[in-house]
Amino acid sequence: MPARIVVRLRADSPGALPPPQTGPAVAAAVLAAVARVDPALAARLHDDPPPKPYRLTPLLDEQHRPPRRGSQQVRFEVGILVDALFAQFHHALSSAATWRIGQTTYQAAGTEIAALLPYPDLASEALPATSWGFQLVTPCAFGTAREEGARRQRVFPEPEWVFTSLAQRWRTNAPDLRGPDGAAFDLGGAVDAAERNLQVVEFDLHSAEHLVKPKVPPLRGAVGTVRYTLAEAASVSVDARHALSALATFATYAGLGDRTTVGMGHVLAIPAPGKLRPTAAKAPA
């Protein structure tokens, strides 16, 4: 049951500003909140290898930027990807009255469920399309595997990397979905289309640094906007296009790329084709 939970904060000292990089501090604070409710779950979430069943953002304001003077909101978001974890996460996040993010203490100013959509509904409500776009709010990157030589960060969001990684997270966390005719949800067709047919048609991207661990050099990733379109849409089945649309929606819960549990890869969907520019959508009220 993918869910997005937003936690709003209010600094103890009016006007206090966090450092520009808060991903690791938010990650530590979230695991500490879970540990107060279920220590074994917190340990498992920390120790289990990726892909993890949740993701989070650093501190953001109402413009999806690090809080600055004049920001009206301070918040972070947690994405939950497994049905069984929703209740524990929601309880932990809602129960925390005080949050310590780095050197700044915040009081909880409200917790809300920004989105909640079971996997069958997410799949059934997606409409087949030929084009999908994202706003990459925090840096997105894909690390190479050990067998590929020196470990490198691939910072351009190639369609095969984006949709293959989303399909992997879907398979890891979702139940086995079947359509009305008994056919399996066509993740394989979506991955094949991403690898053989999907192309980047518009982008407005630049690289940015993201701190993933204190005292360790930050990683780089892409931020900005990108749109993908099928080069030969007629050769891609309706089922595969339907699955691509579901994965594009899933990305807003799961994030894109690596290190999503320390705030990388937070994305917003850009639903309609057209000239790309950062979305003007406000944070959840």
Side-chain angles (χ1 to χ4, degrees):
M1 179 165 48
R4 293 169 43 223
I5 303 174
V6 174
V7 178
R8 304 190 186 284
L9 305 175
R10 182 179 60 253
D12 272 355
S13 301
L17 289 176
Q21 298 279 0
T22 57
V26 171
V30 167
L31 287 179
V34 173
R36 288 191 287 271
V37 173
D38 189 336
L41 173 61
R44 190 166 73 248
L45 292 172
H46 180 273
D47 296 338
D48 283 353
K52 307 238 182 192
Y54 74 101
R55 62 91 188 165
L56 54 81
T57 72
L59 293 185
L60 298 172
D61 70 4
E62 68 280 2
Q63 298 297 324
H64 309 295
R65 303 174 303 190
R68 60 190 72 187
R69 298 198 186 282
S71 294
Q72 300 301 307
Q73 296 181 13
V74 178
R75 62 186 174 87
F76 67 87
E77 181 178 303
V78 179
I80 312 299
L81 307 182
V82 176
D83 293 7
L85 292 183
F86 174 77
Q88 294 101 312
F89 260 101
H90 187 257
H91 178 54
L93 298 173
S94 302
S95 300
T98 302
W99 293 86
R100 182 77 171 180
I101 310 294
Q103 300 301 312
T104 305
T105 301
Y106 295 88
Q107 299 302 315
T111 302
E112 68 173 281
I113 302 171
L116 179 66
L117 197 61
Y119 280 100
D121 293 343
L122 195 160
S124 65
E125 292 180 13
L127 297 177
T130 60
S131 181
W132 301 268
F134 297 110
Q135 179 183 347
L136 312 183
V137 178
T138 61
C140 173
F142 299 82
T144 59
R146 295 186 183 278
E147 59 269 20
E148 296 179 272
R151 300 298 292 270
R152 291 158 287 134
Q153 290 295 110
R154 301 179 294 195
V155 300
F156 192 84
E158 296 286 357
E160 57 267 36
W161 300 339
V162 166
F163 285 92
T164 297
S165 67
L166 286 171
Q168 179 188 18
R169 291 182 196 183
W170 183 292
R171 289 188 178 106
T172 299
N173 297 297
D176 182 26
L177 298 182
R178 299 279 167 175
D181 59 355
F185 185 57
D186 196 12
L187 283 179
V191 170
D192 185 70
E195 293 176 341
R196 297 172 178 270
N197 205 310
L198 205 58
Q199 61 186 341
V200 175
V201 290
E202 298 178 53
F203 65 91
D204 182 4
L205 299 168
H206 64 274
S207 65
E209 293 184 339
H210 189 96
L211 184 69
V212 297
K213 190 175 182 179
K215 300 181 180 180
V216 172
L219 299 181
R220 286 189 171 273
V223 296
T225 52
V226 61
R227 179 168 294 283
Y228 308 100
T229 295
L230 292 169
E232 296 180 3
S235 66
V236 178
S237 71
V238 172
D239 288 343
R241 290 189 281 118
H242 170 212
L244 284 167
S245 292
L247 290 175
T249 300
F250 181 58
T252 64
Y253 296 89
L256 289 184
D258 298 338
R259 308 292 186 137
T260 55
T261 57
V262 289
M264 292 187 74
H266 174 46
V267 302
L268 304 173
I270 303 175
K275 186 176 181 180
L276 289 180
R277 61 182 60 142
T279 62
K282 295 182 179 178

